[in-house]
Amino acid sequence: MLNLPENFQNYTEARKNGFIKMKELKETGKKVVGVFCTYTPNELVMAANAVPIGLCGVSEEPVTDAERVLPKNLCPLIKSSYGFALTDKCPYFYFSDMILAETTCDGKKKMYELLNELKYTHVMQLPPGREGTKALEAWEGEMHRLKDVLEERLNVEITETKLKEAIKLKNRERKAMLDFFEIGKLKPSPLSGYEISTVIDTNSFIFSSQEKIAMLEKRTKELKQAYEQSFKGKPSRPRILITGCPSGGVREKIIRQIEEAGADIVCFENCCGPREKMDKVDETIEPYRALAEKYLRVNCSVMSPNPGRFETLTKMIQDYQVDGVIEIILQACHTFAVEAYKIKQFITQEQKLPYMCLETDYSQADSGQINTRISAFLEMLA
């Protein structure tokens, strides 16, 4: 029998349920790999007959604990992720057999060194850009290195057949998620940005890809029916695109407030949206090369240069009939903060759309100021 944390009785009901579900999964003999980022090749974890599970990192709750070790002026996502691990308050970290991480920022890289002292953490070395002559080869090498680590740590064999099956299943999951996201293209949208954010977060904690696909397909069908019955032909509220840093940790403070103030968030051009889902892994070529090519195409600000982000923004603005863009920058996220200057120019000068940048953390200290700025921005759109 697997043990629960000593402070289990102090947890909320939702977190207790998460621990129980993970405990039951582990007691079936299933291996679990904790992951953080959209650069993570989940297909390799699945081919190792393990479950890739997103780790907690979108709450202010454990930040104070993390700041006993980490600097206060660090990104709140990094502090939250480490704090949950440090305090055993994340069921997915607690029951993970290993952690799979990636070098998407300097703060994360150094935090992973500390995380490795709590639980074995394998770090994939992401190239700093796509244009170097050896960038793809280096990233493909990281895929093979991860295969070796998974086989050794989990005591399994990853065959090419298993990997190809995992790629096909993950591509099906991507299609289901993309279809769900694209409900936002309907005008007016029957899908709130708050629900988009919540469903995607929930989806990352479902253990079965088949279950994820079924849940997403069911909800997408319901929303299409709701549009035909209750939304079609009615006036549309201002349509907002969210870009920048992951927004799960500021869902209540920003995402909910935008929609309560009178707008519809119809799409997310960030890690909480379809960024990684827009193209599939090529099923016709050698699988390790296919994984390297696909995951190197993710348009994150960590890439230098990052032209793909502007191409994606252009397409999403057109496809989702966007009226305004709000960029969310988390404190101390330097790559997105620097890139925000070019994003503002691109949105206001080339796309001719209103743009606002909100720099914040996970605390509620600036909620009033943010609400005032959101209201003023939406009044301008009206």
Side-chain angles (χ1 to χ4, degrees), residues 123-303:
V123 181
M124 299 185 74
Q125 301 295 326
L126 184 70
R130 303 182 187 92
E131 295 185 353
T133 56
K134 298 296 182 180
L136 179 59
E137 287 79 0
W139 192 227
E140 184 178 357
E142 287 298 291
M143 299 295 162
H144 286 282
R145 187 166 74 97
L146 174 59
K147 169 188 178 291
D148 294 340
V149 169
L150 289 169
E151 288 182 327
E152 179 182 354
R153 301 292 305 190
L154 305 182
N155 192 27
V156 296
E157 180 185 4
I158 299 175
T159 66
E160 190 165 306
T161 298
K162 289 179 181 177
L163 184 53
K164 288 181 177 180
E165 289 173 354
I167 287 171
K168 288 181 179 179
L169 181 57
K170 191 65 180 177
N171 278 343
R172 282 183 53 214
E173 184 184 319
R174 286 190 182 94
K175 173 66 166 54
M177 293 185 77
L178 191 59
D179 288 346
F180 171 75
F181 280 122
E182 290 184 346
I183 291 294
K185 291 181 179 180
L186 299 174
K187 190 174 183 179
S189 174
L191 175 63
S192 73
Y194 188 86
E195 181 180 350
I196 295 172
S197 178
T198 304
V199 167
I200 296 307
D201 270 7
T202 302
N203 195 66
S204 68
F205 300 124
I206 295 176
F207 309 142
S208 164
S209 287
Q210 299 287 5
E211 186 180 340
K212 291 180 187 179
I213 293 167
M215 183 271 286
L216 288 165
E217 289 179 342
K218 179 176 181 290
R219 186 58 184 143
T220 301
K221 183 179 179 180
E222 291 171 349
L223 289 164
K224 287 181 177 179
Q225 291 172 344
Y227 174 76
E228 293 294 332
Q229 295 168 3
S230 306
F231 290 84
K232 191 174 183 179
K234 293 188 176 180
S236 176
R237 305 199 305 177
R239 297 167 64 84
I240 303 297
L241 178 150
I242 298 293
T243 189
C245 295
S247 49
V250 293
R251 184 184 296 120
E252 300 296 329
K253 185 166 66 172
I254 296 181
I255 304 305
R256 182 189 288 277
Q257 289 305 318
I258 290 171
E259 296 189 315
E260 289 186 350
D264 288 326
I265 296 172
V266 294
C267 54
F268 291 81
E269 192 284 308
N270 63 9
C271 293
C272 300
R275 173 183 286 166
E276 184 272 328
K277 315 296 183 295
M278 288 181 172
D279 66 320
K280 299 178 181 179
V281 178
D282 190 338
E283 298 176 14
T284 67
I285 65 174
E286 195 277 327
Y288 291 93
R289 171 57 65 120
L291 288 173
E293 289 180 351
K294 187 267 177 301
Y295 283 100
L296 200 58
R297 289 194 296 265
V298 175
N299 296 317
C300 178
S301 65
V302 69
M303 286 292 160

Side-chain angles (χ1 to χ4, degrees), residues 36 69-70 74 78 81-82 85-86 93 99-103 105-125:
F36 286 105
V69 179
L70 300 174
L74 192 61
I78 297 173
S81 300
Y82 183 72
L86 187 66
F93 181 89
I99 307 302
L100 177 53
E102 72 309 309
T103 54
C105 80
D106 290 342
K108 275 187 176 182
K109 285 193 292 187
K110 301 308 290 184
M111 184 271 282
Y112 293 148
E113 294 177 15
L114 301 174
L115 198 65
N116 188 59
E117 296 175 1
L118 304 176
K119 183 164 291 189
Y120 176 77
T121 301
H122 174 75
V123 181
M124 299 185 74
Q125 301 295 326

